[in-house]
Amino acid sequence: SSAAYSPDGKLLAVGRGGEIDGTNGKVALIDPSNGKLLADMAPGHLNGLTDIAWHTDGRHLATTGRDTVIRIWDSTSQKPVAEVGKGRGGQFKDWLHAVSWSADGKWLAAGCGTYDEDKKQFVSGEAIVWNAQTGQEHAKLIGHKWPVVDLSFSPDSARLVSCGSNPTGSGNDRGKPCEVKIWDVASGNELRAIEGHQSLVNSVTYS
């Protein structure tokens, strides 16, 4: 589940986890000045929504979830206008954990992880960048040992920071090794790895 204000603060989008009741990972649009529900946007993400990101135009927002799809919505018409990525169903493994929109509106990025059924844990992670105008995949940013659970573009849209950690490990393995990586968006190259965290890293953002 997730919640996010529109850039002008006039709308609040709230997403349902919905993992118990199927396709109810819907997005509610709320007027934060009075708490009034303006719309319950559907279709929902299969088995739950995981993250929401607003476009800087204040009109469009992107959502993602366990169905490995990014859905783009028009908050004025309250309808989906595009989908990015390939749906693989609302399974427990491989879902998209986080979504981010670049400030210039050109790029969409999502963080994901691969779940090993035999080991009963996530074993790798990556960030995927799409061209938001065409929906074409631009780059896969590979190098995280654990799922990418959050990511954020730099204000100039040239770099992406991602964090990965192990949410399913136990004991001394839980959250280790935690990773923060900075990427060049155009080339897809890793610029820097920031190490040394001794606990779960669940969120990152640029100033």
Side-chain angles (χ1 to χ4, degrees):
S1 56
S2 181
Y5 274 102
S6 60
D8 61 9
K10 294 181 179 180
L11 291 173
L12 177 64
V14 179
R16 287 188 59 188
E19 59 192 59
I20 295 175
D21 47 4
T23 57
N24 286 328
K26 298 178 182 178
V27 187
L29 280 184
I30 296 170
D31 182 341
S33 67
N34 56 26
K36 181 181 178 181
L37 176 65
L38 303 176
D40 206 6
M41 300 194 299
H45 288 277
L46 184 61
N47 282 357
L49 179 148
T50 55
D51 201 17
I52 298 170
W54 283 88
H55 191 286
T56 53
D57 66 8
R59 177 172 176 172
H60 296 91
L61 62 155
T63 62
T64 193
R66 291 191 172 191
D67 50 9
T68 65
V69 168
I70 296 175
R71 191 165 290 133
I72 299 172
W73 306 82
D74 184 327
S75 64
T76 301
S77 68
Q78 300 164 356
K79 296 182 182 296
V81 294
E83 285 190 357
V84 177
K86 296 179 180 180
R88 296 197 294 274
Q91 19 72 336
F92 179 72
K93 59 182 181 179
D94 301 346
W95 75 79
L96 300 182
H97 297 263
V99 63
S100 182
W101 218 316
S102 63
D104 62 8
K106 182 178 180 180
W107 307 112
L108 270 171
C112 61
T114 299
Y115 188 79
D116 188 305
E117 293 284 1
D118 294 328
K119 295 181 178 180
K120 302 301 181 185
Q121 66 177 32
F122 287 94
V123 293
S124 66
E126 63 187 21
I128 306 171
V129 180
W130 290 270
N131 183 308
Q133 280 74 43
T134 66
Q136 296 297 308
E137 185 178 299
H138 168 69
K140 283 187 177 180
L141 311 181
I142 298 171
H144 280 281
K145 299 180 182 68
W146 305 114
V148 174
V149 295
D150 199 23
L151 31 71
S152 175
F153 284 95
S154 60
D156 63 4
S157 303
R159 295 174 301 281
L160 181 76
V161 61
S162 58
C163 65
S165 53
N166 179 12
T168 58
S170 59
N172 292 331
D173 291 330
R174 185 172 177 80
K176 298 180 182 179
C178 297
E179 308 158 310
V180 176
K181 293 182 182 291
I182 299 174
W183 310 84
D184 178 77
V185 176
S187 67
N189 293 330
E190 181 180 329
L191 299 176
R192 181 173 294 114
I194 302 171
E195 301 175 345
H197 296 280
Q198 295 302 310
S199 187
L200 290 169
V201 180
N202 292 324
S203 183
V204 287
T205 190
Y206 267 101
S207 61

